[in-house]
Amino acid sequence: MFQFLAIIVKISLASVLLGAALSAFDITAADLLAQAGLTPERIAQMVRDAFAWALPNMVLGSIIIVPLWCVSLLLRPPRG
């Protein structure tokens, strides 16, 4: 757990430092997204499309996986 938190702190510190450096050069996130051909609205639409595709597939898969998991849990030998 400590390693995970250390990684999160390192990534956060590096992000803040890089963001400050880019801000000093007057570069914004909107500028970078526009150069990549993306807008915040387009990213939001892509996220909605991803959920619209993933959710029905997750439900369909869980119709099979959850009962199989329950059966395997019931058939597992007792511990101890």
Side-chain angles (χ1 to χ4, degrees):
M1 184 67 172
F2 178 74
Q3 287 179 334
F4 178 71
L5 291 175
I7 291 171
I8 296 298
V9 168
K10 288 177 187 178
I11 290 173
S12 298
L13 184 60
S15 297
V16 168
L17 291 174
L18 184 59
L22 290 173
S23 179
F25 290 109
D26 210 18
I27 298 173
T28 65
D31 293 338
L32 292 176
L33 288 173
Q35 287 180 358
L38 297 172
T39 62
E41 294 81 19
R42 176 71 179 131
I43 292 173
Q45 182 62 41
M46 289 169 54
V47 169
R48 283 191 295 272
D49 291 344
F51 277 117
W53 172 83
L55 190 61
N57 289 318
M58 287 175 57
V59 170
L60 182 61
S62 67
I63 289 172
I64 303 298
I65 296 298
V66 170
L68 288 176
W69 178 78
C70 290
V71 168
S72 71
L73 189 66
L74 290 172
L75 297 177
R76 184 179 304 166
R79 296 182 191 192

Coordinates of all heavy atoms in Angstrom, one line a residue:
M1 N 0.8 -1.2 0.0 CA 0.0 0.0 0.0 C 0.9 1.3 0.0 O 0.5 2.2 -0.6 CB -0.9 0.0 1.2 CG -1.9 1.1 1.3 SD -3.1 1.0 0.0 CE -4.2 2.2 0.4
F2 N 2.0 1.2 0.7 CA 2.9 2.4 0.8 C 3.5 2.7 -0.6 O 3.6 3.8 -0.9 CB 4.0 2.1 1.8 CG 5.0 3.2 1.9 CD1 4.6 4.4 2.6 CD2 6.2 3.1 1.4 CE1 5.5 5.5 2.6 CE2 7.1 4.2 1.4 CZ 6.7 5.4 2.1
Q3 N 3.8 1.6 -1.3 CA 4.4 1.8 -2.6 C 3.4 2.5 -3.6 O 3.7 3.4 -4.3 CB 4.9 0.5 -3.3 CG 6.1 0.0 -2.6 CD 6.5 -1.3 -3.3 OE1 5.7 -2.1 -3.8 NE2 7.8 -1.7 -3.2
F4 N 2.1 2.1 -3.5 CA 1.1 2.7 -4.3 C 0.9 4.2 -4.0 O 0.9 5.0 -4.9 CB -0.2 1.9 -4.1 CG -1.4 2.5 -4.9 CD1 -1.4 2.4 -6.2 CD2 -2.4 3.2 -4.2 CE1 -2.5 2.9 -7.0 CE2 -3.4 3.8 -4.9 CZ -3.5 3.6 -6.3
L5 N 0.9 4.5 -2.7 CA 0.8 5.9 -2.3 C 2.0 6.7 -2.7 O 1.9 7.9 -3.2 CB 0.6 6.0 -0.8 CG -0.8 5.5 -0.3 CD1 -0.8 5.6 1.2 CD2 -1.9 6.3 -0.9
A6 N 3.2 6.1 -2.6 CA 4.4 6.8 -3.1 C 4.3 7.1 -4.6 O 4.7 8.2 -5.0 CB 5.6 6.0 -2.7
I7 N 3.8 6.2 -5.4 CA 3.7 6.4 -6.8 C 2.7 7.5 -7.1 O 3.0 8.4 -7.9 CB 3.3 5.1 -7.5 CG1 4.5 4.1 -7.5 CG2 2.9 5.3 -8.9 CD1 4.1 2.7 -7.9
I8 N 1.6 7.5 -6.4 CA 0.6 8.6 -6.6 C 1.2 9.9 -6.2 O 1.0 10.9 -7.0 CB -0.7 8.3 -5.7 CG1 -1.3 7.0 -6.1 CG2 -1.6 9.4 -5.7 CD1 -1.9 7.0 -7.6
V9 N 2.0 10.0 -5.1 CA 2.6 11.3 -4.8 C 3.6 11.7 -5.8 O 3.6 12.9 -6.2 CB 3.2 11.2 -3.4 CG1 4.1 12.4 -3.1 CG2 2.2 11.0 -2.3
K10 N 4.4 10.8 -6.3 CA 5.4 11.1 -7.3 C 4.7 11.6 -8.6 O 5.1 12.6 -9.2 CB 6.3 9.9 -7.7 CG 7.2 9.6 -6.6 CD 8.0 8.3 -6.9 CE 8.9 7.9 -5.8 NZ 9.6 6.6 -6.1
I11 N 3.7 10.9 -9.1 CA 3.0 11.4 -10.3 C 2.3 12.7 -10.1 O 2.4 13.6 -10.9 CB 1.9 10.3 -10.7 CG1 2.6 9.0 -11.2 CG2 1.0 10.8 -11.7 CD1 1.7 7.9 -11.4
S12 N 1.7 12.9 -8.9 CA 1.1 14.2 -8.6 C 2.1 15.4 -8.6 O 1.9 16.4 -9.2 CB 0.4 14.2 -7.2 OG -0.6 13.2 -7.2
L13 N 3.3 15.1 -8.0 CA 4.3 16.2 -7.9 C 4.9 16.5 -9.3 O 5.0 17.6 -9.7 CB 5.5 15.7 -7.0 CG 6.6 16.7 -6.8 CD1 6.1 18.0 -6.2 CD2 7.7 16.1 -5.9
A14 N 5.1 15.4 -10.1 CA 5.6 15.6 -11.5 C 4.5 16.4 -12.3 O 4.9 17.3 -13.1 CB 5.9 14.3 -12.1
S15 N 3.3 16.1 -12.1 CA 2.2 16.7 -12.9 C 2.1 18.2 -12.5 O 2.0 19.1 -13.4 CB 0.9 16.1 -12.6 OG 0.9 14.7 -13.1
V16 N 2.3 18.5 -11.2 CA 2.2 19.9 -10.8 C 3.4 20.7 -11.4 O 3.3 21.8 -11.9 CB 2.2 20.0 -9.3 CG1 2.4 21.4 -8.8 CG2 0.8 19.5 -8.8
L17 N 4.6 20.1 -11.3 CA 5.8 20.8 -11.8 C 5.7 21.0 -13.3 O 6.0 22.1 -13.8 CB 7.0 20.0 -11.4 CG 7.4 19.9 -10.0 CD1 8.6 19.0 -9.7 CD2 7.7 21.3 -9.5
L18 N 5.3 20.0 -14.0 CA 5.1 20.1 -15.5 C 4.0 21.1 -15.8 O 4.2 21.9 -16.8 CB 4.9 18.8 -16.2 CG 4.8 18.8 -17.7 CD1 6.1 19.3 -18.3 CD2 4.5 17.4 -18.2
G19 N 2.9 21.1 -15.1 CA 1.9 22.1 -15.3 C 2.3 23.5 -15.1 O 2.0 24.4 -15.8
A20 N 3.1 23.7 -14.1 CA 3.7 25.0 -13.8 C 4.6 25.5 -14.9 O 4.6 26.6 -15.3 CB 4.4 25.0 -12.4
A21 N 5.4 24.6 -15.4 CA 6.4 24.9 -16.5 C 5.6 25.2 -17.7 O 5.9 26.2 -18.4 CB 7.3 23.7 -16.7
L22 N 4.6 24.5 -18.1 CA 3.8 24.7 -19.3 C 3.0 26.1 -19.1 O 2.9 26.8 -20.1 CB 2.8 23.6 -19.6 CG 3.5 22.3 -20.0 CD1 2.4 21.2 -20.1 CD2 4.2 22.5 -21.4
S23 N 2.5 26.3 -17.9 CA 1.8 27.6 -17.7 C 2.8 28.8 -17.8 O 2.3 29.8 -18.3 CB 1.2 27.5 -16.2 OG 0.6 28.7 -16.0
A24 N 4.0 28.6 -17.5 CA 5.0 29.7 -17.6 C 5.2 30.0 -19.1 O 5.5 31.2 -19.5 CB 6.3 29.3 -17.0
F25 N 5.0 29.0 -20.0 CA 5.1 29.2 -21.4 C 3.8 29.6 -22.0 O 3.6 29.6 -23.3 CB 5.7 28.0 -22.1 CG 7.2 27.8 -21.8 CD1 7.6 26.8 -21.0 CD2 8.1 28.7 -22.3 CE1 8.9 26.6 -20.7 CE2 9.5 28.5 -22.0 CZ 9.9 27.5 -21.2
D26 N 2.8 29.8 -21.2 CA 1.4 30.2 -21.6 C 0.8 29.1 -22.5 O 0.1 29.4 -23.5 CB 1.4 31.5 -22.4 CG 0.1 32.3 -22.2 OD1 -0.6 32.0 -21.3 OD2 -0.1 33.2 -23.0
I27 N 1.0 27.9 -22.1 CA 0.3 26.7 -22.8 C -0.8 26.2 -21.9 O -0.5 25.9 -20.7 CB 1.4 25.6 -23.1 CG1 2.4 26.1 -24.0 CG2 0.7 24.4 -23.7 CD1 3.6 25.2 -24.2
T28 N -2.0 26.0 -22.4 CA -3.1 25.5 -21.6 C -3.5 24.1 -22.1 O -3.2 23.7 -23.2 CB -4.3 26.5 -21.7 OG1 -4.8 26.5 -23.1 CG2 -3.9 27.9 -21.3
A29 N -4.3 23.5 -21.3 CA -4.8 22.1 -21.7 C -5.7 22.3 -22.9 O -5.7 21.4 -23.8 CB -5.5 21.5 -20.5
A30 N -6.5 23.3 -22.9 CA -7.4 23.5 -24.1 C -6.6 23.7 -25.4 O -7.0 23.1 -26.4 CB -8.3 24.7 -23.9
D31 N -5.5 24.3 -25.3 CA -4.6 24.5 -26.5 C -4.1 23.1 -27.0 O -4.1 22.8 -28.2 CB -3.4 25.4 -26.2 CG -3.8 26.9 -26.0 OD1 -4.9 27.2 -26.4 OD2 -3.1 27.6 -25.3
L32 N -3.6 22.4 -26.0 CA -3.1 21.0 -26.4 C -4.1 20.1 -26.9 O -3.9 19.4 -27.9 CB -2.4 20.4 -25.2 CG -1.1 21.1 -24.6 CD1 -0.6 20.4 -23.4 CD2 0.0 21.0 -25.7
L33 N -5.3 20.2 -26.3 CA -6.4 19.3 -26.9 C -6.8 19.8 -28.3 O -7.1 19.0 -29.1 CB -7.6 19.4 -25.9 CG -7.5 18.7 -24.6 CD1 -8.6 18.9 -23.7 CD2 -7.3 17.2 -24.8
A34 N -6.9 21.1 -28.5 CA -7.2 21.6 -29.8 C -6.2 21.2 -30.9 O -6.6 20.9 -32.0 CB -7.4 23.1 -29.8
Q35 N -4.9 21.2 -30.5 CA -3.9 20.8 -31.5 C -4.0 19.3 -31.8 O -3.7 18.9 -32.9 CB -2.5 21.1 -30.9 CG -2.2 22.5 -30.9 CD -0.8 22.8 -30.4 OE1 -0.1 21.9 -29.9 NE2 -0.4 24.1 -30.4
A36 N -4.5 18.5 -30.8 CA -4.7 17.1 -31.1 C -6.1 16.8 -31.8 O -6.4 15.7 -32.1 CB -4.7 16.3 -29.7
G37 N -6.8 17.9 -32.0 CA -8.1 17.7 -32.7 C -9.2 17.3 -31.8 O -10.2 16.7 -32.2
L38 N -9.0 17.5 -30.5 CA -10.1 17.2 -29.5 C -10.6 18.4 -28.8 O -9.9 19.4 -28.6 CB -9.5 16.2 -28.5 CG -9.0 14.9 -29.0 CD1 -8.2 14.1 -27.9 CD2 -10.1 14.0 -29.5
T39 N -11.8 18.3 -28.4 CA -12.4 19.4 -27.6 C -13.0 18.7 -26.4 O -13.2 17.5 -26.4 CB -13.6 20.1 -28.4 OG1 -14.6 19.1 -28.6 CG2 -13.1 20.7 -29.7
P40 N -13.2 19.5 -25.3 CA -13.8 18.9 -24.1 C -15.1 18.2 -24.4 O -15.5 17.2 -23.8 CB -13.9 20.1 -23.1 CG -12.9 21.0 -23.6 CD -12.8 20.9 -25.1
E41 N -15.9 18.8 -25.3 CA -17.2 18.2 -25.7 C -17.0 16.9 -26.4 O -17.8 15.9 -26.2 CB -18.0 19.2 -26.6 CG -18.4 20.4 -25.9 CD -17.3 21.5 -25.8 OE1 -16.4 21.4 -26.6 OE2 -17.4 22.4 -25.0
R42 N -16.0 16.8 -27.3 CA -15.7 15.6 -28.0 C -15.3 14.5 -27.1 O -15.7 13.3 -27.2 CB -14.7 15.8 -29.1 CG -14.2 14.6 -29.8 CD -15.3 14.1 -30.8 NE -14.8 12.9 -31.5 CZ -15.5 11.8 -31.5 NH1 -16.7 11.7 -31.0 NH2 -14.9 10.8 -32.2
I43 N -14.4 14.8 -26.1 CA -14.0 13.9 -25.1 C -15.1 13.3 -24.3 O -15.3 12.1 -24.0 CB -12.9 14.5 -24.2 CG1 -11.6 14.7 -25.0 CG2 -12.6 13.6 -23.0 CD1 -10.5 15.5 -24.3
A44 N -16.0 14.3 -23.9 CA -17.2 13.8 -23.1 C -18.1 12.9 -23.9 O -18.6 11.9 -23.4 CB -18.0 15.1 -22.7
Q45 N -18.2 13.2 -25.2 CA -19.0 12.3 -26.1 C -18.4 11.0 -26.3 O -19.1 9.9 -26.3 CB -19.2 13.0 -27.5 CG -20.0 12.2 -28.4 CD -21.5 12.0 -27.9 OE1 -22.1 12.9 -27.4 NE2 -22.0 10.8 -28.1
M46 N -17.0 10.9 -26.4 CA -16.3 9.7 -26.5 C -16.5 8.8 -25.2 O -16.7 7.6 -25.3 CB -14.8 9.9 -26.7 CG -14.6 10.4 -28.1 SD -12.9 11.0 -28.4 CE -11.9 9.6 -27.9
V47 N -16.5 9.5 -24.0 CA -16.7 8.8 -22.8 C -18.2 8.2 -22.7 O -18.4 7.1 -22.3 CB -16.4 9.7 -21.6 CG1 -16.9 9.1 -20.3 CG2 -15.0 10.0 -21.5
R48 N -19.1 9.0 -23.1 CA -20.5 8.6 -23.2 C -20.7 7.4 -24.1 O -21.4 6.4 -23.8 CB -21.5 9.7 -23.6 CG -21.7 10.7 -22.4 CD -22.9 11.6 -22.8 NE -22.6 12.5 -23.9 CZ -22.0 13.7 -23.8 NH1 -21.6 14.1 -22.6 NH2 -21.7 14.4 -24.8
D49 N -20.1 7.5 -25.3 CA -20.1 6.4 -26.3 C -19.5 5.1 -25.7 O -20.0 4.0 -25.9 CB -19.4 6.7 -27.6 CG -20.2 7.8 -28.3 OD1 -21.4 8.0 -28.0 OD2 -19.5 8.4 -29.2
A50 N -18.4 5.2 -25.0 CA -17.7 4.1 -24.4 C -18.6 3.4 -23.3 O -18.8 2.2 -23.3 CB -16.4 4.5 -23.7
F51 N -19.3 4.2 -22.5 CA -20.2 3.6 -21.5 C -21.4 3.0 -22.2 O -21.9 2.0 -21.7 CB -20.7 4.7 -20.5 CG -19.7 4.9 -19.4 CD1 -19.1 6.1 -19.2 CD2 -19.4 3.9 -18.5 CE1 -18.2 6.3 -18.2 CE2 -18.5 4.1 -17.5 CZ -17.9 5.3 -17.3
A52 N -21.9 3.6 -23.2 CA -23.1 3.1 -24.0 C -22.7 1.7 -24.6 O -23.6 0.9 -24.7 CB -23.5 4.1 -25.0
W53 N -21.5 1.5 -25.0 CA -21.1 0.3 -25.5 C -20.8 -0.7 -24.4 O -21.2 -1.9 -24.5 CB -19.8 0.4 -26.4 CG -19.3 -0.9 -26.8 CD1 -19.7 -1.6 -27.9 CD2 -18.2 -1.6 -26.2 NE1 -18.9 -2.8 -28.0 CE2 -18.0 -2.8 -26.9 CE3 -17.4 -1.4 -25.1 CZ2 -17.1 -3.7 -26.6 CZ3 -16.5 -2.3 -24.7 CH2 -16.3 -3.5 -25.5
A54 N -20.1 -0.3 -23.4 CA -19.6 -1.2 -22.3 C -20.7 -1.7 -21.4 O -20.7 -2.9 -21.0 CB -18.5 -0.5 -21.5
L55 N -21.6 -0.9 -21.0 CA -22.7 -1.3 -20.1 C -23.5 -2.4 -20.5 O -23.7 -3.4 -19.8 CB -23.5 0.0 -19.7 CG -24.5 -0.3 -18.5 CD1 -23.7 -0.6 -17.3 CD2 -25.3 1.0 -18.3
P56 N -24.1 -2.4 -21.7 CA -24.8 -3.6 -22.1 C -24.0 -4.9 -22.2 O -24.5 -6.0 -21.8 CB -25.4 -3.3 -23.5 CG -25.3 -1.8 -23.6 CD -24.2 -1.4 -22.7
N57 N -22.7 -4.8 -22.6 CA -21.9 -5.9 -22.7 C -21.5 -6.4 -21.3 O -21.4 -7.7 -21.1 CB -20.6 -5.6 -23.4 CG -20.9 -5.5 -24.9 OD1 -21.7 -6.2 -25.5 ND2 -20.3 -4.5 -25.5
M58 N -21.4 -5.5 -20.3 CA -21.1 -6.0 -18.9 C -22.3 -6.7 -18.4 O -22.2 -7.7 -17.7 CB -20.7 -4.8 -18.1 CG -19.4 -4.2 -18.3 SD -19.0 -2.7 -17.4 CE -19.3 -3.2 -15.7
V59 N -23.5 -6.2 -18.6 CA -24.7 -6.8 -18.1 C -24.9 -8.2 -18.8 O -25.1 -9.2 -18.1 CB -25.9 -5.9 -18.4 CG1 -27.2 -6.7 -18.1 CG2 -25.9 -4.7 -17.6
L60 N -24.6 -8.3 -20.1 CA -24.7 -9.6 -20.8 C -23.7 -10.6 -20.2 O -24.1 -11.7 -19.9 CB -24.5 -9.4 -22.2 CG -24.7 -10.6 -23.1 CD1 -26.1 -11.1 -23.0 CD2 -24.3 -10.2 -24.6
G61 N -22.5 -10.2 -20.0 CA -21.5 -11.1 -19.5 C -21.8 -11.5 -18.0 O -21.6 -12.6 -17.6
S62 N -22.3 -10.5 -17.2 CA -22.6 -10.8 -15.8 C -23.8 -11.8 -15.7 O -23.9 -12.5 -14.7 CB -22.9 -9.6 -15.0 OG -24.1 -9.0 -15.5
I63 N -24.6 -11.9 -16.7 CA -25.7 -12.9 -16.6 C -25.2 -14.3 -16.6 O -25.7 -15.2 -16.0 CB -26.7 -12.7 -17.8 CG1 -27.5 -11.4 -17.7 CG2 -27.6 -13.9 -18.0 CD1 -28.3 -11.0 -18.9
I64 N -24.0 -14.5 -17.2 CA -23.3 -15.8 -17.2 C -22.3 -16.0 -16.0 O -22.3 -16.9 -15.3 CB -22.6 -16.1 -18.5 CG1 -23.6 -16.0 -19.7 CG2 -21.9 -17.4 -18.5 CD1 -24.8 -17.0 -19.6
I65 N -21.5 -14.9 -15.8 CA -20.4 -15.0 -14.9 C -20.9 -15.1 -13.4 O -20.4 -15.9 -12.6 CB -19.5 -13.8 -15.1 CG1 -18.8 -13.8 -16.4 CG2 -18.4 -13.7 -14.0 CD1 -18.0 -15.0 -16.7
V66 N -21.9 -14.3 -13.0 CA -22.3 -14.2 -11.6 C -22.9 -15.6 -11.2 O -22.5 -16.1 -10.1 CB -23.3 -13.1 -11.4 CG1 -23.9 -13.1 -10.0 CG2 -22.5 -11.7 -11.6
P67 N -23.8 -16.2 -11.9 CA -24.3 -17.5 -11.5 C -23.1 -18.6 -11.4 O -23.1 -19.4 -10.5 CB -25.3 -17.9 -12.5 CG -25.8 -16.6 -13.1 CD -24.6 -15.7 -13.1
L68 N -22.2 -18.6 -12.4 CA -21.1 -19.5 -12.3 C -20.2 -19.3 -11.1 O -19.8 -20.2 -10.4 CB -20.3 -19.4 -13.6 CG -20.9 -20.0 -14.9 CD1 -20.0 -19.7 -16.1 CD2 -21.1 -21.4 -14.7
W69 N -20.0 -18.0 -10.8 CA -19.2 -17.7 -9.6 C -19.9 -18.2 -8.3 O -19.3 -18.7 -7.4 CB -18.9 -16.2 -9.5 CG -18.2 -15.8 -8.3 CD1 -16.8 -15.9 -8.1 CD2 -18.7 -15.2 -7.1 NE1 -16.5 -15.4 -6.9 CE2 -17.6 -15.0 -6.3 CE3 -20.0 -14.8 -6.7 CZ2 -17.8 -14.4 -5.0 CZ3 -20.2 -14.3 -5.5 CH2 -19.1 -14.1 -4.6
C70 N -21.2 -17.9 -8.3 CA -22.0 -18.4 -7.1 C -21.9 -19.9 -6.9 O -21.8 -20.4 -5.8 CB -23.4 -17.9 -7.2 SG -23.7 -16.1 -7.0
V71 N -22.1 -20.6 -8.0 CA -22.0 -22.1 -8.0 C -20.6 -22.5 -7.5 O -20.5 -23.4 -6.7 CB -22.4 -22.7 -9.3 CG1 -22.1 -24.2 -9.4 CG2 -23.9 -22.5 -9.6
S72 N -19.6 -21.9 -8.1 CA -18.2 -22.3 -7.7 C -18.0 -22.0 -6.2 O -17.3 -22.7 -5.5 CB -17.2 -21.6 -8.6 OG -17.1 -20.3 -8.3
L73 N -18.6 -20.9 -5.7 CA -18.4 -20.6 -4.3 C -19.1 -21.6 -3.4 O -18.6 -22.0 -2.4 CB -19.0 -19.2 -4.1 CG -18.8 -18.6 -2.7 CD1 -17.3 -18.3 -2.5 CD2 -19.6 -17.3 -2.6
L74 N -20.3 -22.1 -3.9 CA -21.0 -23.1 -3.1 C -20.3 -24.4 -3.1 O -20.4 -25.2 -2.2 CB -22.4 -23.2 -3.6 CG -23.4 -22.1 -3.4 CD1 -24.7 -22.2 -4.1 CD2 -23.6 -21.9 -1.9
L75 N -19.7 -24.8 -4.2 CA -19.0 -26.1 -4.3 C -17.6 -26.1 -3.8 O -17.0 -27.2 -3.8 CB -19.0 -26.5 -5.8 CG -20.4 -26.7 -6.4 CD1 -20.3 -27.1 -7.9 CD2 -21.2 -27.8 -5.6
R76 N -17.1 -25.0 -3.4 CA -15.7 -24.9 -2.9 C -15.7 -25.7 -1.5 O -16.6 -25.6 -0.7 CB -15.3 -23.5 -2.6 CG -13.9 -23.3 -2.2 CD -13.5 -21.9 -2.0 NE -13.8 -21.1 -3.2 CZ -13.8 -19.8 -3.2 NH1 -13.7 -19.1 -2.1 NH2 -14.0 -19.2 -4.4
P77 N -14.6 -26.5 -1.3 CA -14.5 -27.2 0.0 C -14.3 -26.2 1.1 O -13.8 -25.2 1.0 CB -13.3 -28.1 -0.2 CG -12.5 -27.6 -1.4 CD -13.5 -26.8 -2.2
P78 N -14.8 -26.6 2.3 CA -14.7 -25.8 3.5 C -13.2 -25.5 3.9 O -12.4 -26.4 3.7 CB -15.4 -26.5 4.6 CG -15.7 -27.8 4.1 CD -15.5 -27.9 2.6
R79 N -13.0 -24.4 4.4 CA -11.6 -24.0 4.8 C -11.4 -24.4 6.3 O -12.4 -24.4 7.1 CB -11.4 -22.5 4.6 CG -11.4 -22.1 3.2 CD -11.1 -20.6 3.1 NE -11.4 -20.1 1.8 CZ -11.0 -19.0 1.3 NH1 -10.3 -18.2 2.1 NH2 -11.3 -18.6 0.1
G80 N -10.2 -24.7 6.6 CA -9.9 -24.9 8.0 C -10.0 -26.3 8.4 O -10.0 -27.0 9.2

